[in-house]
Amino acid sequence: MSHELAELLRSVLKEELQPIHERLDRLEAGQQRLEERQQRLEERQQRLEERQQRLEERQQRLEEKLDHFIIETRSHFKKIEDELADHRRMFEILSHDWRNANIAIEYLNHKIGQHDLEMYQLKKRLELQETK
């Protein structure tokens, strides 16, 4: 009888504990799913951190390229400004030389006119002397 009582007790306990076991199984399965999700989230976070690191590196390279471009552009701009200043000086010199050449040409034209007049007058005097 005690054996039957023990079996009965076992049967009752088993029935009473069955919902608890099922609930524990569900909790363990839920816990497992949560752990898997957490692992996937951690993997995603790791990938995001790696992407962020790559983005930061790319941004750094872009900033360096931009700095180099700015330096190069300033250098070229300075060179162009220097060349422009040289050209302006050259134009001023040429303009001054051109004015001086025009003054000299005017002077020589005036002198040629005077010489032509003198030659004309000498020619007329010679003609008058020959006719006498």
Side-chain angles (χ1 to χ4, degrees):
M1 180 141 151
S2 69
H3 180 46
E4 290 176 4
L5 186 59
E7 282 299 317
L8 181 63
L9 188 56
R10 274 188 204 145
S11 175
V12 170
L13 282 175
K14 189 174 183 182
E15 284 180 30
E16 291 296 318
L17 290 177
Q18 184 63 29
I20 294 173
H21 284 295
E22 289 172 0
R23 188 170 182 193
L24 282 175
D25 287 343
R26 285 193 309 270
L27 285 174
E28 286 176 353
Q31 181 68 28
Q32 181 65 30
R33 284 192 306 272
L34 284 176
E35 288 174 0
E36 290 171 0
R37 283 183 187 172
Q38 183 178 1
Q39 184 178 359
R40 285 194 306 269
L41 285 174
E42 287 173 357
E43 290 171 358
R44 287 179 183 171
Q45 181 179 359
Q46 180 65 33
R47 285 194 305 267
L48 284 174
E49 288 173 358
E50 290 170 359
R51 285 181 182 173
Q52 181 182 3
Q53 179 65 32
R54 286 193 305 269
L55 283 173
E56 288 174 358
E57 290 169 358
R58 288 175 61 195
Q59 181 182 1
Q60 180 65 30
R61 285 194 304 272
L62 286 174
E63 287 175 359
E64 289 173 4
K65 285 180 181 181
L66 181 60
D67 289 343
H68 290 245
F69 177 76
I70 289 170
I71 290 168
E72 187 175 332
T73 302
R74 285 180 182 162
S75 175
H76 287 298
F77 186 72
K78 176 68 172 132
K79 181 181 177 191
I80 290 171
E81 282 182 330
D82 291 345
E83 288 179 359
L84 180 61
D86 289 344
H87 291 161
R88 283 184 178 153
R89 283 191 293 276
M90 186 59 71
F91 282 127
E92 288 174 9
I93 291 169
L94 290 174
S95 176
H96 184 264
D97 289 350
W98 182 260
R99 281 192 299 267
N100 287 342
N102 280 338
I103 291 170
I105 289 170
E106 287 177 23
Y107 174 75
L108 291 174
N109 279 336
H110 177 70
K111 282 300 209 179
I112 289 171
Q114 285 179 342
H115 289 156
D116 282 348
L117 179 61
E118 289 174 5
M119 287 173 50
Y120 176 76
Q121 289 173 351
L122 288 172
K123 184 178 175 185
K124 287 297 180 185
R125 284 185 196 157
L126 283 173
E127 286 175 1
L128 283 176
Q129 285 183 356
E130 287 180 4
T131 54
K132 283 186 190 179

